[in-house]
């Protein structure tokens, strides 16, 4: 009777398979493999196997055994924040330098005496406005209002635009019928018709959501169309050969395949959504960062205008960074095979 | 000729014509009939562009022929079936899925529960020599490894019929021989019926019970050669005189 051979294969805590005489006996997680090693009287030689406790006997049927090969361990990946830090370290070093340069330039300009304070306000005044508005909570309210408008508009636009984009990409007749009219819709200058939108939808939340949606739907739709059209026909055929349903093709092929384009579109749309909300607020509003700009201008308080503009920039930046982070985590596979 | 009644997959007077972009029709297949008896290994060989891939697509239920019919298990084949597995000429792997996830795909589509999927994928990783690479992405594999992943994916469903379109095309000669023997070993443990397209005459003779030779486009089966060797077949067969004679016969039929 040949001696049973057991092959233990371990890989970074994922799947570990135990092979006995070329047949898989089982797939186990790392702690169980440790138990197995102990059970069959083997030292847990693996560097990642720390526990030496005697565990349950997992495979009583294997009596005389030997571990043939232990695949070498890939280095444990760094925690995500360390990897992230590694990547941006040098840029972080640059940040104080650039910040200081900008700040000093601004201070010099304001203190030069060439410009009145209501043309180039001193950074200290802007800082003071920030503290005031932070203290009375109005800054947070304005930011929250603009965010709510922008994100609601983006959300509604994304739903409609991805659905439209999908049917246009998949069904020729919809492309033929709808595309010219949709381009016509996009050709309307949104900024120019925003007063009309305010007249139609009032000066509350609804009108800003509509404007933000109108400014963001087009990039989302184009991204969807391009993404779905780029789905490899070979992979479609492979899915069909595996008797995949339409839903399975959508879920396992079209969505992951179009994800790079979709996230690219979302990056554009997310910053545009803030623009949309601000434009609506310029025309007519009672709160929001766009309103704050107009309010500051109305009472000739330039520091408030500057503060509001800075806050709009920060909001845009934060939203963009969130999408960029989403992209890094969802599209990590694209780094594969590249130096 | 195998009796139609006993065949698991049976193609009857298949004609297929493509219309290319400039409107010109291209006859790819002309009156192709073949029958695959359950559990047999058939090799299909023919000049490039003669319609072998097209025939496999038709047999897989992916393409409907202009005329003629395909029967699978006695029923007309009108759409792809899980029991028929097609391994494509290109590896067709999903770049966003790891090796493990690519091999797992057909089981996932068939709704097999996760623990069973793990076992079967692990087994196929082992047979195809891909252990240790399960977390790699296709972009990180060599051409031959990618093709092995595609083979593993084609085998994972334990299909009744395995259609292979030059599965070893991207492999080097040595791996090719190894994989051929491996395939025979796997095949011996299953009851699968195999139809394999290949460009290598010796590979066809070594692996198959029967070799079908196709004419240049429009493809038509011009010759059928039975291979009498018993199994299991060893590598020493390659120098056998009968073997070389059969290979020469097939070579003559092609030219
Ligand atoms: N989608 C298509 N549209 C138009 N013509 C096609 C299409 N697919 C194949 N053809 C034509 O049909 C013929 C047969 O193609 P097929 O791919 O079946 O050949 P093959 O025998 O597999 O060739 P090879 O050995 O090079 O892979 C070719 O001459 C090709 O011009
Ligand atoms: Mg081909």
């Amino acid at each position: 009777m040949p001696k049973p051979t057991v092959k233990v294969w371990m890989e970074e805590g994922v799947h570990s398979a135990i092979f006995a005489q070329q047949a898989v006996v089982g797939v186990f997680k790392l702690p169980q493999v440790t138990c197995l090693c102990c059970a069959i009287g083997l030292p847990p030689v693996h560097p990642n196997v720390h526990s030496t406790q005697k565990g349950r006997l997992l495979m009583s049927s294997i009596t005389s055994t030997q571990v043939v090969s232990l695949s070498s361990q890939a280095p444990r990946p760094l925690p995500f924040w360390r990897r992230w830090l590694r990547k941006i370290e040098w840029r972080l070093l640059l940040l104080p330098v650039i910040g200081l340069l900008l700040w000093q330039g601004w201070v010099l300009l304001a203190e030069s005496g060439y410009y009145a304070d209501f043309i180039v306000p001193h950074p200290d005044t802007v800082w003071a406005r920030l503290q005031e508005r932070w203290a009375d909570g109005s800054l947070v309210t304005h930011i929250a209002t603009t965010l709510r408008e922008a994100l609601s508009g983006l959300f509604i636009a994304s739903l409609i635009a991805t659905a439209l984009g999908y049917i246009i990409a998949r069904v020729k007749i919809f492309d033929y019928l709808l595309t010219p009219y949709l381009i016509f819709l996009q050709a309307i200058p949104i900024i120019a018709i925003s007063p009309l939108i305010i007249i139609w939808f009032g000066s509350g939340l609804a009108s800003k959501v509509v404007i933000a949606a109108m400014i963001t739907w087009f990039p989302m739709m184009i991204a969807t169309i391009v993404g779905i059209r780029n789905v490899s026909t070979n992979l479609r055929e492979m899915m069909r050969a595996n008797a995949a349903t339409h839903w399975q093709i959508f879920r396992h092929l079209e969505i992951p395949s179009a994800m790079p384009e979709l996230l690219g579109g979302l990056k554009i749309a997310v910053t545009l959504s803030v623009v949309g909300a601000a434009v609506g607020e310029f025309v007519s509003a009672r709160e929001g960062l766009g309103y704050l700009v107009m309010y500051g201008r109305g009472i000739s308080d330039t520091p408030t205008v500057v503060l509001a503009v800075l806050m709009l920039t920060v909001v845009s930046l934060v939203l963009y960074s969130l999408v960029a982070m989403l992209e890094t985590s969802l599209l990590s596979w694209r780094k594969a095979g590249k130096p | 000729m195998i009796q139609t009644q006993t065949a698991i997959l049976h193609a009857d007077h298949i004609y297929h014509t493509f219309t290319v972009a400039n409107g010109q029709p291209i006859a790819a297949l002309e009156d192709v009939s073949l029958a695959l008896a359950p559990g047999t290994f058939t090799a299909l060989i023919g000049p490039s562009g003669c319609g072998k891939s097209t025939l496999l697509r038709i047999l897989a239920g992916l393409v409907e022929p202009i005329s003629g019919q395909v029967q699978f298990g006695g029923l007309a084949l009108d759409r792809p079936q899980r029991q028929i597995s097609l391994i494509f000429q290109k590896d067709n792997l999903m770049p966003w899925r790891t090796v493990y996830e690519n091999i797992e795909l057909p089981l996932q589509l068939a709704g097999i529960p996760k623990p069973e999927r793990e076992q079967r994928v692990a087994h196929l990783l082992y047979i195809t020599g891909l252990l240790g690479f399960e977390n790699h992405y296709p972009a990180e594999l060599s051409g031959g490894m990618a093709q092995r992943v595609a083979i593993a994916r084609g085998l994972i469903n334990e299909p009744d019929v395995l259609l292979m379109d030059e599965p070893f095309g991207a492999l080097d000669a040595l791996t090719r021989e190894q994989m051929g023997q491996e395939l025979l070993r796997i095949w011996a443990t299953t009851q699968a019926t195999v139809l394999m397209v290949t460009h290598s005459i010796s590979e066809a003779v070594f692996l198959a019970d029967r070799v079908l030779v196709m004419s240049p486009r429009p493809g038509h089966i011009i010759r059928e050669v039975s291979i009498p060797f018993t199994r299991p077949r060893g590598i020493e067969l390659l120098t056998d005189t009968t073997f070389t004679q059969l290979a020469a016969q097939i070579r003559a039929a092609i030219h």
Side-chain angles (χ1 to χ4, degrees), chain A residues 9 11 15 19 24 234-235 237 240 242-243 248 252 256 333 336-337, chain B residues 57 62 80 82 92 95-97 109 118 123 126 131 134-135 137 139-140:
Chain A
W9 150 55
E11 187 66 33
H15 312 281
F19 299 92
V24 177
N234 286 332
L235 287 181
E237 195 175 42
R240 284 211 302 127
N242 279 298
Q248 285 176 327
H252 294 293
W333 59 269
Chain B
R57 283 198 170 83
L62 278 172
R82 288 235 154 79
N92 283 354
W96 57 87
R97 282 183 172 239
L109 296 178
E118 278 190 354
H123 185 62
Y126 177 68
L131 275 185
E134 61 280 358
N135 291 331
Y137 286 99
E140 297 163 326

mmCIF file of all heavy atoms in Angstrom, chain A residues 9 11 15 19 24 234-235 237 240 242-243 248 252 256 333 336-337, chain B residues 57 62 80 82 92 95-97 109 118 123 126 131 134-135 137 139-140:
data_model
loop_
_atom_site.group_PDB
_atom_site.id
_atom_site.type_symbol
_atom_site.label_atom_id
_atom_site.label_comp_id
_atom_site.label_asym_id
_atom_site.label_seq_id
_atom_site.Cartn_x
_atom_site.Cartn_y
_atom_site.Cartn_z
ATOM 1 N N TRP A 9 -1.256 23.218 1.449
ATOM 2 C CA TRP A 9 -0.981 24.403 0.658
ATOM 3 C C TRP A 9 -1.578 25.583 1.392
ATOM 4 O O TRP A 9 -2.744 25.582 1.747
ATOM 5 C CB TRP A 9 -1.592 24.184 -0.717
ATOM 6 C CG TRP A 9 -2.032 25.424 -1.393
ATOM 7 C CD1 TRP A 9 -1.286 26.530 -1.652
ATOM 8 C CD2 TRP A 9 -3.329 25.693 -1.894
ATOM 9 N NE1 TRP A 9 -2.032 27.461 -2.295
ATOM 10 C CE2 TRP A 9 -3.284 26.981 -2.450
ATOM 11 C CE3 TRP A 9 -4.511 24.979 -1.935
ATOM 12 C CZ2 TRP A 9 -4.401 27.564 -3.031
ATOM 13 C CZ3 TRP A 9 -5.605 25.562 -2.517
ATOM 14 C CH2 TRP A 9 -5.549 26.824 -3.056
ATOM 15 N N GLU A 11 -1.990 29.831 1.839
ATOM 16 C CA GLU A 11 -1.881 31.106 1.153
ATOM 17 C C GLU A 11 -2.576 32.176 1.988
ATOM 18 O O GLU A 11 -3.789 32.186 2.093
ATOM 19 C CB GLU A 11 -2.505 30.982 -0.233
ATOM 20 C CG GLU A 11 -2.325 32.169 -1.124
ATOM 21 C CD GLU A 11 -0.882 32.402 -1.501
ATOM 22 O OE1 GLU A 11 -0.133 31.408 -1.638
ATOM 23 O OE2 GLU A 11 -0.512 33.563 -1.641
ATOM 24 N N HIS A 15 -7.437 30.257 1.374
ATOM 25 C CA HIS A 15 -7.843 28.877 1.230
ATOM 26 C C HIS A 15 -6.637 27.997 1.473
ATOM 27 O O HIS A 15 -5.571 28.254 0.974
ATOM 28 C CB HIS A 15 -8.354 28.610 -0.178
ATOM 29 C CG HIS A 15 -9.315 29.629 -0.627
ATOM 30 N ND1 HIS A 15 -10.624 29.638 -0.245
ATOM 31 C CD2 HIS A 15 -9.153 30.715 -1.416
ATOM 32 C CE1 HIS A 15 -11.223 30.666 -0.772
ATOM 33 N NE2 HIS A 15 -10.371 31.343 -1.484
ATOM 34 N N PHE A 19 -4.307 17.891 0.387
ATOM 35 C CA PHE A 19 -4.394 16.884 -0.643
ATOM 36 C C PHE A 19 -3.828 15.573 -0.134
ATOM 37 O O PHE A 19 -2.744 15.547 0.419
ATOM 38 C CB PHE A 19 -3.607 17.286 -1.882
ATOM 39 C CG PHE A 19 -4.110 18.541 -2.495
ATOM 40 C CD1 PHE A 19 -3.563 19.752 -2.133
ATOM 41 C CD2 PHE A 19 -5.147 18.507 -3.400
ATOM 42 C CE1 PHE A 19 -4.041 20.918 -2.685
ATOM 43 C CE2 PHE A 19 -5.618 19.669 -3.940
ATOM 44 C CZ PHE A 19 -5.070 20.874 -3.589
ATOM 45 N N VAL A 24 -8.383 16.078 -3.301
ATOM 46 C CA VAL A 24 -8.534 17.091 -2.266
ATOM 47 C C VAL A 24 -9.359 16.508 -1.136
ATOM 48 O O VAL A 24 -10.441 15.997 -1.333
ATOM 49 C CB VAL A 24 -9.222 18.341 -2.829
ATOM 50 C CG1 VAL A 24 -9.447 19.351 -1.732
ATOM 51 C CG2 VAL A 24 -8.379 18.926 -3.921
ATOM 52 N N ASN A 234 -15.811 38.914 -26.557
ATOM 53 C CA ASN A 234 -15.340 37.565 -26.244
ATOM 54 C C ASN A 234 -15.840 37.120 -24.871
ATOM 55 O O ASN A 234 -16.245 35.979 -24.691
ATOM 56 C CB ASN A 234 -13.810 37.513 -26.255
ATOM 57 C CG ASN A 234 -13.270 37.549 -27.669
ATOM 58 O OD1 ASN A 234 -13.935 37.103 -28.594
ATOM 59 N ND2 ASN A 234 -12.092 38.106 -27.822
ATOM 60 N N LEU A 235 -15.788 38.052 -23.907
ATOM 61 C CA LEU A 235 -16.258 37.698 -22.567
ATOM 62 C C LEU A 235 -17.769 37.496 -22.559
ATOM 63 O O LEU A 235 -18.286 36.628 -21.861
ATOM 64 C CB LEU A 235 -15.837 38.759 -21.552
ATOM 65 C CG LEU A 235 -14.361 38.764 -21.183
ATOM 66 C CD1 LEU A 235 -14.070 39.837 -20.141
ATOM 67 C CD2 LEU A 235 -13.931 37.410 -20.652
ATOM 68 N N GLU A 237 -19.444 36.282 -24.980
ATOM 69 C CA GLU A 237 -19.644 34.955 -25.560
ATOM 70 C C GLU A 237 -19.326 33.876 -24.526
ATOM 71 O O GLU A 237 -20.054 32.887 -24.393
ATOM 72 C CB GLU A 237 -18.752 34.807 -26.790
ATOM 73 C CG GLU A 237 -19.134 33.638 -27.651
ATOM 74 C CD GLU A 237 -18.315 33.572 -28.924
ATOM 75 O OE1 GLU A 237 -17.091 33.809 -28.841
ATOM 76 O OE2 GLU A 237 -18.898 33.268 -29.972
ATOM 77 N N ARG A 240 -22.160 33.598 -22.197
ATOM 78 C CA ARG A 240 -23.301 32.920 -22.832
ATOM 79 C C ARG A 240 -23.028 31.422 -22.921
ATOM 80 O O ARG A 240 -23.923 30.601 -22.702
ATOM 81 C CB ARG A 240 -23.553 33.492 -24.230
ATOM 82 C CG ARG A 240 -24.225 34.850 -24.210
ATOM 83 C CD ARG A 240 -25.113 35.036 -25.432
ATOM 84 N NE ARG A 240 -24.384 34.900 -26.687
ATOM 85 C CZ ARG A 240 -24.741 34.085 -27.659
ATOM 86 N NH1 ARG A 240 -25.798 33.326 -27.539
ATOM 87 N NH2 ARG A 240 -24.018 34.034 -28.757
ATOM 88 N N ASN A 242 -21.503 29.714 -20.890
ATOM 89 C CA ASN A 242 -21.736 29.137 -19.570
ATOM 90 C C ASN A 242 -23.187 29.272 -19.136
ATOM 91 O O ASN A 242 -23.493 29.207 -17.951
ATOM 92 C CB ASN A 242 -20.814 29.793 -18.545
ATOM 93 C CG ASN A 242 -19.433 29.186 -18.574
ATOM 94 O OD1 ASN A 242 -19.270 28.010 -18.305
ATOM 95 N ND2 ASN A 242 -18.438 29.984 -18.943
ATOM 96 N N ALA A 243 -24.064 29.476 -20.114
ATOM 97 C CA ALA A 243 -25.504 29.552 -19.877
ATOM 98 C C ALA A 243 -25.866 30.605 -18.830
ATOM 99 O O ALA A 243 -26.759 30.402 -18.011
ATOM 100 C CB ALA A 243 -26.063 28.186 -19.475
ATOM 101 N N GLN A 248 -27.164 37.664 -14.703
ATOM 102 C CA GLN A 248 -25.797 37.258 -14.355
ATOM 103 C C GLN A 248 -24.776 37.972 -15.227
ATOM 104 O O GLN A 248 -23.699 38.358 -14.757
ATOM 105 C CB GLN A 248 -25.646 35.743 -14.491
ATOM 106 C CG GLN A 248 -26.318 34.980 -13.357
ATOM 107 C CD GLN A 248 -26.253 33.482 -13.563
ATOM 108 O OE1 GLN A 248 -26.292 33.004 -14.701
ATOM 109 N NE2 GLN A 248 -26.171 32.742 -12.478
ATOM 110 N N HIS A 252 -22.139 40.065 -13.261
ATOM 111 C CA HIS A 252 -20.771 39.532 -13.187
ATOM 112 C C HIS A 252 -19.876 39.989 -14.327
ATOM 113 O O HIS A 252 -18.667 39.821 -14.264
ATOM 114 C CB HIS A 252 -20.791 38.002 -13.156
ATOM 115 C CG HIS A 252 -21.422 37.454 -11.917
ATOM 116 N ND1 HIS A 252 -20.872 37.598 -10.674
ATOM 117 C CD2 HIS A 252 -22.588 36.783 -11.734
ATOM 118 C CE1 HIS A 252 -21.654 37.034 -9.766
ATOM 119 N NE2 HIS A 252 -22.699 36.531 -10.382
ATOM 120 N N PRO A 256 -18.721 44.994 -13.464
ATOM 121 C CA PRO A 256 -17.277 45.113 -13.197
ATOM 122 C C PRO A 256 -16.474 45.613 -14.390
ATOM 123 O O PRO A 256 -15.506 46.338 -14.224
ATOM 124 C CB PRO A 256 -16.855 43.697 -12.800
ATOM 125 C CG PRO A 256 -17.979 42.806 -13.116
ATOM 126 C CD PRO A 256 -19.213 43.625 -13.236
ATOM 127 N N TRP A 333 -7.328 45.775 -9.035
ATOM 128 C CA TRP A 333 -6.861 44.777 -10.000
ATOM 129 C C TRP A 333 -6.139 45.409 -11.187
ATOM 130 O O TRP A 333 -5.344 44.749 -11.849
ATOM 131 C CB TRP A 333 -8.033 43.943 -10.518
ATOM 132 C CG TRP A 333 -9.112 44.732 -11.202
ATOM 133 C CD1 TRP A 333 -10.222 45.267 -10.623
ATOM 134 C CD2 TRP A 333 -9.193 45.066 -12.589
ATOM 135 N NE1 TRP A 333 -10.987 45.926 -11.542
ATOM 136 C CE2 TRP A 333 -10.382 45.816 -12.768
ATOM 137 C CE3 TRP A 333 -8.381 44.818 -13.705
ATOM 138 C CZ2 TRP A 333 -10.770 46.319 -14.015
ATOM 139 C CZ3 TRP A 333 -8.780 45.329 -14.935
ATOM 140 C CH2 TRP A 333 -9.958 46.064 -15.072
ATOM 141 N N ALA A 336 -2.406 45.206 -11.400
ATOM 142 C CA ALA A 336 -1.782 43.911 -11.641
ATOM 143 C C ALA A 336 -1.029 43.899 -12.963
ATOM 144 O O ALA A 336 -1.505 44.408 -13.969
ATOM 145 C CB ALA A 336 -2.841 42.817 -11.653
ATOM 146 N N GLY A 337 0.157 43.325 -12.934
ATOM 147 C CA GLY A 337 0.920 43.151 -14.159
ATOM 148 C C GLY A 337 1.585 44.410 -14.670
ATOM 149 O O GLY A 337 2.141 44.411 -15.752
ATOM 150 N N ARG B 57 -18.437 26.671 -32.070
ATOM 151 C CA ARG B 57 -19.448 27.614 -31.570
ATOM 152 C C ARG B 57 -20.849 27.090 -31.850
ATOM 153 O O ARG B 57 -21.750 27.214 -31.026
ATOM 154 C CB ARG B 57 -19.291 28.971 -32.239
ATOM 155 C CG ARG B 57 -18.145 29.766 -31.691
ATOM 156 C CD ARG B 57 -18.265 31.231 -32.045
ATOM 157 N NE ARG B 57 -17.286 31.990 -31.302
ATOM 158 C CZ ARG B 57 -16.021 32.133 -31.674
ATOM 159 N NH1 ARG B 57 -15.602 31.589 -32.795
ATOM 160 N NH2 ARG B 57 -15.185 32.818 -30.940
ATOM 161 N N LEU B 62 -23.862 28.392 -29.360
ATOM 162 C CA LEU B 62 -23.666 29.845 -29.325
ATOM 163 C C LEU B 62 -24.093 30.499 -30.626
ATOM 164 O O LEU B 62 -24.518 31.645 -30.646
ATOM 165 C CB LEU B 62 -22.182 30.162 -29.095
ATOM 166 C CG LEU B 62 -21.668 30.121 -27.674
ATOM 167 C CD1 LEU B 62 -20.155 30.266 -27.669
ATOM 168 C CD2 LEU B 62 -22.309 31.223 -26.847
ATOM 169 N N PRO B 80 -26.934 27.622 -25.408
ATOM 170 C CA PRO B 80 -25.842 26.976 -24.671
ATOM 171 C C PRO B 80 -26.355 26.205 -23.451
ATOM 172 O O PRO B 80 -27.305 26.622 -22.802
ATOM 173 C CB PRO B 80 -24.978 28.155 -24.237
ATOM 174 C CG PRO B 80 -25.273 29.227 -25.203
ATOM 175 C CD PRO B 80 -26.710 29.071 -25.561
ATOM 176 N N ARG B 82 -25.265 24.026 -19.791
ATOM 177 C CA ARG B 82 -24.208 23.885 -18.775
ATOM 178 C C ARG B 82 -23.399 22.609 -18.979
ATOM 179 O O ARG B 82 -22.219 22.560 -18.656
ATOM 180 C CB ARG B 82 -24.819 23.843 -17.372
ATOM 181 C CG ARG B 82 -25.355 25.169 -16.927
ATOM 182 C CD ARG B 82 -24.769 25.634 -15.608
ATOM 183 N NE ARG B 82 -24.817 27.086 -15.552
ATOM 184 C CZ ARG B 82 -25.924 27.774 -15.256
ATOM 185 N NH1 ARG B 82 -27.042 27.155 -14.960
ATOM 186 N NH2 ARG B 82 -25.906 29.085 -15.261
ATOM 187 N N ASN B 92 -9.871 34.295 -22.735
ATOM 188 C CA ASN B 92 -11.118 34.903 -22.271
ATOM 189 C C ASN B 92 -11.269 34.931 -20.754
ATOM 190 O O ASN B 92 -12.312 34.552 -20.226
ATOM 191 C CB ASN B 92 -12.334 34.151 -22.851
ATOM 192 C CG ASN B 92 -12.578 34.517 -24.293
ATOM 193 O OD1 ASN B 92 -11.912 35.402 -24.824
ATOM 194 N ND2 ASN B 92 -13.511 33.845 -24.924
ATOM 195 N N PRO B 95 -10.217 40.165 -16.436
ATOM 196 C CA PRO B 95 -9.018 40.754 -15.838
ATOM 197 C C PRO B 95 -9.220 41.227 -14.397
ATOM 198 O O PRO B 95 -8.248 41.404 -13.683
ATOM 199 C CB PRO B 95 -8.707 41.939 -16.761
ATOM 200 C CG PRO B 95 -9.968 42.218 -17.497
ATOM 201 C CD PRO B 95 -10.699 40.920 -17.594
ATOM 202 N N TRP B 96 -10.484 41.425 -13.997
ATOM 203 C CA TRP B 96 -10.723 41.907 -12.633
ATOM 204 C C TRP B 96 -10.928 40.767 -11.651
ATOM 205 O O TRP B 96 -11.126 40.978 -10.470
ATOM 206 C CB TRP B 96 -11.947 42.836 -12.600
ATOM 207 C CG TRP B 96 -13.190 42.194 -13.125
ATOM 208 C CD1 TRP B 96 -14.081 41.450 -12.418
ATOM 209 C CD2 TRP B 96 -13.668 42.242 -14.466
ATOM 210 N NE1 TRP B 96 -15.085 41.013 -13.239
ATOM 211 C CE2 TRP B 96 -14.868 41.502 -14.503
ATOM 212 C CE3 TRP B 96 -13.211 42.851 -15.639
ATOM 213 C CZ2 TRP B 96 -15.596 41.337 -15.678
ATOM 214 C CZ3 TRP B 96 -13.951 42.681 -16.788
ATOM 215 C CH2 TRP B 96 -15.127 41.936 -16.799
ATOM 216 N N ARG B 97 -10.894 39.551 -12.127
ATOM 217 C CA ARG B 97 -11.028 38.410 -11.228
ATOM 218 C C ARG B 97 -9.676 37.729 -11.086
ATOM 219 O O ARG B 97 -8.927 37.622 -12.054
ATOM 220 C CB ARG B 97 -12.035 37.407 -11.785
ATOM 221 C CG ARG B 97 -13.474 37.826 -11.580
ATOM 222 C CD ARG B 97 -14.403 36.755 -12.100
ATOM 223 N NE ARG B 97 -15.772 37.031 -11.756
ATOM 224 C CZ ARG B 97 -16.552 36.206 -11.033
ATOM 225 N NH1 ARG B 97 -16.084 35.056 -10.619
ATOM 226 N NH2 ARG B 97 -17.786 36.539 -10.754
ATOM 227 N N LEU B 109 -22.137 30.756 -11.466
ATOM 228 C CA LEU B 109 -23.283 30.951 -12.359
ATOM 229 C C LEU B 109 -24.292 29.816 -12.201
ATOM 230 O O LEU B 109 -25.493 30.012 -12.382
ATOM 231 C CB LEU B 109 -22.821 31.040 -13.818
ATOM 232 C CG LEU B 109 -21.923 32.224 -14.166
ATOM 233 C CD1 LEU B 109 -21.505 32.171 -15.628
ATOM 234 C CD2 LEU B 109 -22.611 33.542 -13.872
ATOM 235 N N GLU B 118 -15.198 25.955 -3.273
ATOM 236 C CA GLU B 118 -13.816 26.006 -2.778
ATOM 237 C C GLU B 118 -13.097 24.686 -3.029
ATOM 238 O O GLU B 118 -11.971 24.664 -3.505
ATOM 239 C CB GLU B 118 -13.808 26.314 -1.283
ATOM 240 C CG GLU B 118 -13.938 27.779 -0.975
ATOM 241 C CD GLU B 118 -13.695 28.086 0.497
ATOM 242 O OE1 GLU B 118 -13.541 27.145 1.293
ATOM 243 O OE2 GLU B 118 -13.667 29.280 0.832
ATOM 244 N N HIS B 123 -9.127 21.683 -6.140
ATOM 245 C CA HIS B 123 -8.746 20.468 -6.849
ATOM 246 C C HIS B 123 -8.214 20.798 -8.245
ATOM 247 O O HIS B 123 -7.171 20.290 -8.673
ATOM 248 C CB HIS B 123 -9.954 19.540 -6.931
ATOM 249 C CG HIS B 123 -9.639 18.217 -7.541
ATOM 250 N ND1 HIS B 123 -8.734 17.350 -6.978
ATOM 251 C CD2 HIS B 123 -10.076 17.626 -8.676
ATOM 252 C CE1 HIS B 123 -8.644 16.279 -7.735
ATOM 253 N NE2 HIS B 123 -9.441 16.421 -8.772
ATOM 254 N N TYR B 126 -4.903 22.386 -8.356
ATOM 255 C CA TYR B 126 -3.880 21.377 -8.157
ATOM 256 C C TYR B 126 -3.566 20.638 -9.453
ATOM 257 O O TYR B 126 -2.407 20.524 -9.852
ATOM 258 C CB TYR B 126 -4.334 20.405 -7.069
ATOM 259 C CG TYR B 126 -3.364 19.284 -6.844
ATOM 260 C CD1 TYR B 126 -2.112 19.527 -6.291
ATOM 261 C CD2 TYR B 126 -3.690 17.982 -7.219
ATOM 262 C CE1 TYR B 126 -1.216 18.511 -6.095
ATOM 263 C CE2 TYR B 126 -2.783 16.950 -7.021
ATOM 264 C CZ TYR B 126 -1.546 17.226 -6.460
ATOM 265 O OH TYR B 126 -0.646 16.218 -6.274
ATOM 266 N N LEU B 131 -1.413 25.897 -8.250
ATOM 267 C CA LEU B 131 -1.400 26.162 -6.811
ATOM 268 C C LEU B 131 -0.398 27.253 -6.495
ATOM 269 O O LEU B 131 0.696 27.269 -7.029
ATOM 270 C CB LEU B 131 -1.001 24.899 -6.047
ATOM 271 C CG LEU B 131 -2.116 23.912 -5.739
ATOM 272 C CD1 LEU B 131 -1.571 22.807 -4.874
ATOM 273 C CD2 LEU B 131 -3.255 24.617 -5.045
ATOM 274 N N GLU B 134 -3.363 31.287 -7.065
ATOM 275 C CA GLU B 134 -4.812 31.528 -7.057
ATOM 276 C C GLU B 134 -5.184 32.986 -6.820
ATOM 277 O O GLU B 134 -6.240 33.431 -7.235
ATOM 278 C CB GLU B 134 -5.513 30.614 -6.048
ATOM 279 C CG GLU B 134 -5.081 30.778 -4.607
ATOM 280 C CD GLU B 134 -3.781 30.044 -4.319
ATOM 281 O OE1 GLU B 134 -3.244 29.382 -5.220
ATOM 282 O OE2 GLU B 134 -3.295 30.142 -3.192
ATOM 283 N N ASN B 135 -4.299 33.734 -6.165
ATOM 284 C CA ASN B 135 -4.635 35.142 -5.917
ATOM 285 C C ASN B 135 -4.012 36.087 -6.937
ATOM 286 O O ASN B 135 -4.036 37.291 -6.766
ATOM 287 C CB ASN B 135 -4.200 35.545 -4.505
ATOM 288 C CG ASN B 135 -5.046 34.851 -3.459
ATOM 289 O OD1 ASN B 135 -6.205 34.535 -3.715
ATOM 290 N ND2 ASN B 135 -4.473 34.566 -2.311
ATOM 291 N N TYR B 137 -3.751 37.948 -10.622
ATOM 292 C CA TYR B 137 -4.668 38.403 -11.668
ATOM 293 C C TYR B 137 -4.148 37.922 -13.025
ATOM 294 O O TYR B 137 -2.943 37.721 -13.180
ATOM 295 C CB TYR B 137 -4.775 39.928 -11.640
ATOM 296 C CG TYR B 137 -5.591 40.426 -10.484
ATOM 297 C CD1 TYR B 137 -5.000 40.904 -9.326
ATOM 298 C CD2 TYR B 137 -6.986 40.381 -10.539
ATOM 299 C CE1 TYR B 137 -5.759 41.339 -8.252
ATOM 300 C CE2 TYR B 137 -7.751 40.811 -9.479
ATOM 301 C CZ TYR B 137 -7.131 41.288 -8.336
ATOM 302 O OH TYR B 137 -7.885 41.706 -7.287
ATOM 303 N N ALA B 139 -3.386 39.375 -15.637
ATOM 304 C CA ALA B 139 -2.300 40.194 -16.174
ATOM 305 C C ALA B 139 -0.946 39.774 -15.619
ATOM 306 O O ALA B 139 0.093 40.152 -16.157
ATOM 307 C CB ALA B 139 -2.555 41.668 -15.878
ATOM 308 N N GLU B 140 -0.967 39.001 -14.529
ATOM 309 C CA GLU B 140 0.298 38.600 -13.911
ATOM 310 C C GLU B 140 0.716 37.187 -14.317
ATOM 311 O O GLU B 140 1.623 36.623 -13.716
ATOM 312 C CB GLU B 140 0.165 38.672 -12.383
ATOM 313 C CG GLU B 140 -0.112 40.074 -11.893
ATOM 314 C CD GLU B 140 -0.648 40.106 -10.468
ATOM 315 O OE1 GLU B 140 -1.386 39.191 -10.082
ATOM 316 O OE2 GLU B 140 -0.325 41.059 -9.762
#
